[in-house]
Amino acid sequence: MADDDDVLQAGPALGKRAARGAIVTVGSQVVRMAVQVGGVVVLAHLLTPHDYGLVAMALAVVGIGDLFRDFGLSSAAIQAQRLTRQQRDNLFWLNTGIGALLGVLAFACAPLVAALYDEPDLVPITRGLALTFLLNGMATQYRAHLTRHMRFAQLAAVDVASPLLGLVAGIVLAVSGAGWWALVGQQVMTAATLAAGGVIAARWLPRRPRRGEPMAGLLRFGWNLLGTQLVGYASNNVDSLTIGLRFGAQPLGVYNRAFTLLMQPLTQLRAPSTTVALPVLSRLRDQPERFGEFVRRGQLALAYTLVAGLAFVIAATGPLTSILLGPQWLDAEPVLRFLAAAGVFQTLAYVGYWVYLATGLTNVLLRYTLVSASIRITCVLVGSIWGVVGVAAGYAVAPMLAWPLSLWWVARHTPVPLRALLSGGTRAVVMFGSCALAGWAASTLVTGAWAQLALALVGVGAAFALWYLTVPRVRKDLSEVASVVHTARGTRSAAPAPAA
């Protein structure tokens, strides 16, 4: 493809390229998740819940600015059928300019953030985090460029290096007694590495911005997506805001550690699926049968990997909390279990997000997000009556209620197989729910965290083996998921075949 006239095309090797990309990106995210979990474990023993609560307070407020920094323009660039080099350059300057402006605003508004929570330490924390707006703004279009061209190996290298170097900076600061500054330094170093790595991997420098380029379509896509993300952000952070405002920094720190230990790695593991699926589905828009089949197999892949892992977390929450976080964090155990349950239904609904972006239906996505956000905010606020654990329970109930609605909504507007998605997802919930129950029951037979962890794994594995041996549909599902790996090795045909 010529750099000045970059056009998305669906060639015969698309499926093989996508499958190989999936292996690379999932592999990198597994490493990134290990870094994330390792960081939580190490820093949890060096810092206090109060330290984490303070930084979580600042992130819950200033984090909304990061959505404005992106403005939906990274996804707009990835899904565009045609993107000229000048359009790409203009997008770079837009994201960088917005990031710089937001950094200045965050710096100036730091006293307001501190006043909101009545925590004076939030002034330097917020001002330190303000630098990340500029750095992330500069990185946005570099990452979009790598994703659009399916350069997943380079993208994976950046995604592993940035949190690793950030963690090193955080640990060094924590050991030196810097307290919450360790968490601020971790965020800044991660953003700086992400920006520098994007420049090195993409190997292009932006030219000066120019008028006259057709930007309206990209901006319209981005605006609709931004609206969706803003609503989603409000619903996703209502838990932290509610806990911080009602219960203070210490309980928020406990909740935040449970959330970071589970939901952030889960988000990182789901993100590669969008990285791979978005350019592929964008090329399959005019082939409804192949489009729907790709989505169906995508949901199966998420169910038999991420949902399976979440079943183990639900079964072994007690020993995992004890081993990974230590005795000062034991209050996080019930929170972690509820968050894992929430992650199951969020993951099964995630394929809808691919579809909306790939088809450009960000306006439809916005309307659905308003509905789902209302459900989550209501559930969390009602749950807060029972304290931090009640907030976590409300956070879990919301996606349970919203999941079937999400699939029905996307099926109204796109050629996705609603019945197949509902039946596949329900099968996964019942199967892995029973696996989680078996694992938990097994873990209660012994004492000692490591012994409980081992028996939980045995119980989950035994229950899954029973499903595999007695239910032919489960064996077929696994065969279809395995075909993605075989395709990545070049042993299967390029694209997913329509369902028989």
Side-chain angles (χ1 to χ4, degrees):
M1 299 179 189
D3 192 290
D4 289 328
D5 194 14
D6 180 6
V7 182
L8 292 181
Q9 296 177 347
L14 177 62
K16 183 181 293 186
R17 192 175 181 186
R20 289 176 176 170
I23 299 300
V24 171
T25 49
V26 169
S28 73
Q29 292 304 312
V30 168
V31 176
R32 189 178 180 187
M33 183 185 70
V35 172
Q36 176 78 47
V37 173
V40 170
V41 173
V42 174
L43 291 176
H45 289 81
L46 297 173
L47 302 173
T48 67
H50 186 75
D51 292 329
Y52 277 105
L54 287 173
V55 176
M57 286 175 171
L59 288 173
V61 176
V62 304
I64 194 172
D66 208 45
L67 299 180
F68 283 98
R69 183 269 309 162
D70 182 274
F71 208 79
L73 298 179
S74 58
S75 295
I78 294 169
Q79 66 83 44
Q81 287 290 306
R82 184 182 300 271
L83 186 73
T84 69
R85 177 173 178 178
Q86 191 57 58
Q87 285 175 316
R88 184 186 65 189
D89 294 336
N90 286 352
L91 290 174
F92 169 85
W93 290 113
L94 275 170
N95 284 129
T96 301
I98 294 172
L101 176 61
L102 289 170
V104 172
L105 288 174
F107 189 92
C109 293
L112 298 179
V113 177
L116 175 65
Y117 291 105
D118 193 24
E119 289 281 1
D121 285 341
L122 289 178
V123 174
I125 290 174
T126 304
R127 287 177 171 170
L129 293 172
L131 181 59
T132 62
F133 288 123
L134 174 61
L135 296 170
N136 288 333
M138 296 172 63
T140 300
Q141 289 305 316
Y142 285 105
R143 291 181 58 78
H145 177 80
L146 294 172
T147 301
R148 178 178 175 85
H149 291 277
M150 296 188 176
R151 292 168 60 182
F152 298 120
Q154 294 95 325
L155 193 62
V158 175
D159 282 346
V160 169
S162 54
L164 181 59
L165 292 179
L167 175 59
V168 170
I171 291 174
V172 170
L173 288 170
V175 170
S176 67
W180 46 255
W181 273 115
L183 301 175
V184 175
Q186 180 184 17
Q187 295 282 335
V188 173
M189 176 60 76
T190 299
T193 307
L194 202 63
V199 174
I200 295 171
R203 298 182 181 178
W204 62 270
L205 293 175
R207 300 173 297 187
R208 64 181 180 86
R210 292 182 183 178
R211 296 182 178 179
E213 287 294 318
M215 303 293 294
L218 296 169
L219 294 174
R220 185 165 51 250
F221 179 99
W223 175 255
N224 285 326
L225 183 56
L226 172 63
T228 298
Q229 291 171 334
L230 287 173
V231 175
Y233 184 87
S235 67
N236 287 334
N237 287 274
V238 67
D239 50 350
S240 294
L241 284 170
T242 300
I243 294 171
L245 292 171
R246 292 193 59 180
F247 309 118
Q250 181 87 7
L252 178 57
V254 172
Y255 183 90
N256 177 263
R257 283 306 80 198
F259 196 96
T260 302
L261 183 63
L262 178 73
M263 301 305 284
Q264 286 191 6
L266 180 61
T267 298
Q268 290 168 358
L269 287 173
R270 285 196 302 240
S273 68
T274 303
T275 301
V276 174
L278 183 53
V280 174
L281 289 174
S282 295
R283 289 162 167 85
L284 297 177
R285 272 185 280 194
D286 298 328
Q287 304 174 53
E289 204 171 351
R290 293 179 69 198
F291 186 99
E293 178 65 6
F294 187 94
V295 173
R296 187 188 68 81
R297 288 194 177 186
Q299 187 193 57
L300 283 179
L302 292 175
Y304 281 86
T305 52
L306 300 187
V307 174
L310 289 167
F312 172 69
V313 173
I314 293 171
T317 302
L320 284 173
T321 304
S322 178
I323 292 169
L324 296 178
L325 297 181
Q328 67 173 331
W329 298 93
L330 293 182
D331 289 343
E333 178 185 339
V335 174
L336 186 62
R337 182 172 284 114
F338 278 121
L339 292 178
V344 169
F345 290 92
Q346 290 175 356
T347 299
L348 293 174
Y350 199 69
V351 292
Y353 184 66
W354 305 344
V355 174
Y356 289 123
L357 296 188
T359 56
L361 294 176
T362 51
N363 57 334
V364 178
L365 175 59
L366 174 58
R367 293 198 296 272
Y368 167 71
T369 304
L370 286 168
V371 176
S372 63
S374 300
I375 296 173
R376 175 174 293 174
I377 291 171
T378 300
C379 291
V380 167
L381 292 178
V382 171
S384 69
I385 296 172
W386 293 276
V388 175
V389 176
V391 170
Y395 190 92
V397 170
M400 295 178 190
L401 298 176
W403 171 62
L405 175 63
S406 70
L407 294 183
W408 171 78
W409 197 286
V410 73
R412 289 182 59 202
H413 301 279
T414 61
V416 299
L418 174 60
R419 182 175 297 179
L421 292 175
L422 283 172
S423 63
T426 302
R427 186 165 59 252
V429 169
V430 173
M431 176 173 61
F432 290 115
S434 66
C435 292
L437 181 60
W440 171 81
S443 71
T444 62
L445 300 176
V446 296
T447 58
W450 286 104
Q452 290 176 336
L453 190 68
L455 273 188
L457 181 59
V458 171
V460 170
F464 180 75
L466 183 62
W467 276 92
Y468 179 82
L469 293 172
T470 59
V471 182
R473 180 68 243 192
V474 172
R475 295 196 292 274
K476 183 176 181 182
D477 287 345
L478 280 173
S479 176
E480 291 183 329
V481 172
S483 71
V484 176
V485 179
H486 293 313
T487 302
R489 295 174 178 171
T491 62
R492 291 290 179 93
S493 58

